Amino acid sequence: MFVESHNLCNFAFIMTDNLSGELHRPGRIEVVCGSMFSGKTEELIRRIKRAVFARQRVEIFKPSIDTRYSEEEVVSHDRNTILSTPVDTSASILLLASDIDVVGIDEAQFLDSGLVDVCNELANRGVRVIVAGLDMDFKGIPFGPMPALCAIADEVTKVHAICVKCGALAYVSHRLVADDKRVLLGEKAQYEPLCRECYRKAVEQEATTAQSANKEAK
């Protein structure tokens, strides 16, 4: 009985400490970045749910163009969901985030560059801002406002998918379809996570194939 009571006391202390930790993390910017299939949204949802458990006032936003799984929910690749508010511009976040303790923003790379100032403004107001997004596009180029957000963040967490070719940590999201648009919503049929070396080989192979096709066309 003493052991059980001791364990219960320890559990209660840990939970109380967790709640206290969530309640005393105001005025900060946290960025979770990485390639596709790396668990960015999963981590965002986890942090938001902890804040909800701590009885904080929470609001989650996502770009309105991201309708892959749902128009009004943030959905991870593992199908974990949390209700969100779609926005067309970053300025809308400031208007909708009054009297909020924690703001979550998913797929931040699709939002405009004004998001950097919005996040700074919220953090300066004492709001905890949690941002998740792709750090690079399919060409390995820093994506949208993400580089600047990483620069001003109080905390940056880089998460990694696994390279589907060799099993190493993935570096970038390699596009599998012939489309050069920077923004192309997709899933496993359109993208695969690759490490730096496998990505380099894939790009070289694509270039060789394109050259061969051009020669045949002539």
Side-chain angles (χ1 to χ4, degrees):
M1 287 295 293
F2 174 77
V3 173
E4 290 181 3
S5 298
H6 180 70
N7 289 338
L8 285 172
C9 287
N10 281 341
F11 177 75
F13 175 80
I14 291 169
M15 293 307 296
T16 301
D17 188 55
N18 283 342
L19 285 173
S20 178
E22 293 302 328
L23 290 170
H24 291 85
R25 301 183 72 187
R28 56 187 285 109
I29 300 171
E30 303 167 24
V31 173
V32 182
C33 63
S35 69
M36 292 183 68
F37 315 112
S38 61
K40 301 180 302 298
T41 299
E42 197 80 21
E43 177 61 17
L44 171 66
I45 292 174
R46 186 189 71 82
R47 295 187 190 187
I48 291 296
K49 286 184 174 179
R50 278 173 57 91
V52 171
F53 185 71
R55 298 179 182 176
Q56 293 181 292
R57 295 166 297 180
V58 171
E59 189 70 49
I60 306 98
F61 300 94
K62 75 170 188 175
S64 56
I65 65 169
D66 185 13
T67 57
R68 283 172 295 176
Y69 297 124
S70 169
E71 292 186 0
E72 295 185 344
E73 288 181 318
V74 167
V75 185
S76 72
H77 294 296
D78 291 334
R79 298 303 192 271
N80 284 322
T81 66
I82 194 166
L83 194 63
S84 67
T85 300
V87 293
D88 294 318
T89 66
S90 61
S92 300
I93 297 174
L94 272 182
L95 297 175
L96 298 170
S98 58
D99 299 321
I100 296 297
D101 299 312
V102 182
V103 166
I105 304 169
D106 194 34
E107 302 294 355
Q109 75 278 355
F110 294 143
L111 288 170
D112 54 86
S113 59
L115 183 61
V116 178
D117 290 334
V118 167
C119 290
N120 257 332
E121 172 68 20
L122 290 170
N124 289 339
R125 289 184 193 174
V127 177
R128 179 186 175 197
V129 184
I130 309 170
V131 182
L134 291 169
D135 50 0
M136 294 185 290
D137 64 14
F138 73 103
K139 292 182 177 180
I141 299 171
F143 206 161
M146 290 301 292
L149 286 169
C150 286
I152 66 168
D154 299 88
E155 174 187 320
V156 178
T157 302
K158 177 134 182 174
V159 289
H160 296 273
I162 299 300
C163 176
V164 297
K165 300 293 186 184
C166 71
L169 291 179
Y171 160 74
V172 73
S173 309
H174 175 235
R175 185 174 290 177
L176 297 169
V177 295
D179 193 319
D180 205 43
K181 290 188 300 184
R182 192 176 203 192
V183 176
L184 177 66
L185 298 178
E187 279 299 311
K188 292 181 180 178
Q190 290 80 30
Y191 295 94
E192 63 180 0
L194 295 181
C195 69
R196 185 184 291 269
E197 180 63 16
C198 290
Y199 176 71
R200 182 186 63 78
K201 291 178 180 178
V203 170
E204 289 178 354
Q205 180 61 45
E206 288 168 356
T208 300
T209 301
Q211 288 176 357
S212 298
N214 289 335
K215 288 180 180 179
E216 291 178 3
K218 292 178 182 180

